[in-house]
Amino acid sequence: MQYAAYKPEVASNGFAVIENIYSEDERLQIINVIEGTDTSGDTFRKSENLFAIRQFVKEIPQALPLIFNEKLRQVISQVFGEDYFIVKSIYFDKPGGSNWFVAYHQDLTVSVDKKTDVDGYGPWTVKQNQFAVQPPLHILENIFTLRLHLDDTDINNGALKVVPGSHAKGIYRPETIDWQTETEAICNVPAGGLMIMKPLLLHSSGRTTNNNNRRVIHIEFSNHPLATPLQWAEKMIY
């Protein structure tokens, strides 16, 4: 399969959608592994409107060989290269009755192993004992995100809305979006498909209106080190 054709699309628009990364059997195997996991730990967040697993690949390592099948490995190597590693992973389950939405934003923080003063890094946050910090722009520009969809996703159950090309404009405050010049795209992704996204791409997600789940595995990759002594908190070779 030739996935290199998506490389200029990601570079220009900041995102791309690729269908049929997982067969129906592979998709169900991944779901079964997730559903069979003990969810009592600190990295699991459960509520009426959301179920999330932070540090997903560390919490459920048995899912890795299922997720990184031959097609996904080809996507990564052909679009980005061979030297990337995982730096962050989250699993989201947005239930069918969910009524929450996420306004337009960029993903501006990375997960690190400790909090320490380093030039160019800040501000800092902590979520569930995990340190996060905004790094220098070149670190953010290097990251790419894969969003693996376990359910059919469209505008009715929270498909991402994005501003094409916004990833190339540095830190872009959503309150400054000029809709006279910018456009909006809706990223429909079928079950078993993949969305590639640059974290600086402005994106948002609406409420669910069709009672269908939206289960997504979100994995971020980089091939850059952080400034000493900081380390990627979730660095993993896949």
Side-chain angles (χ1 to χ4, degrees), residues 56-125:
F56 174 78
V57 297
K58 285 189 174 182
E59 291 290 349
I60 311 183
Q62 61 269 34
L64 276 174
L66 300 173
I67 292 169
F68 286 89
N69 65 5
E70 185 59 30
K71 287 185 177 180
L72 190 68
R73 290 178 180 275
Q74 288 182 14
V75 168
I76 296 170
S77 64
Q78 292 179 25
V79 178
F80 298 101
E82 300 283 356
D83 59 342
Y84 280 80
F85 45 82
I86 297 169
V87 296
K88 187 175 183 178
S89 60
I90 311 172
Y91 169 76
F92 297 104
D93 180 357
K94 191 174 185 179
S98 175
N99 61 2
W100 63 277
F101 70 96
V102 179
Y104 267 106
H105 66 286
Q106 296 173 300
D107 293 338
L108 296 177
T109 64
V110 296
S111 297
V112 296
D113 62 334
K114 63 174 72 70
K115 182 178 180 179
T116 186
D117 290 334
V118 177
D119 287 346
Y121 286 74
W124 290 80
T125 59

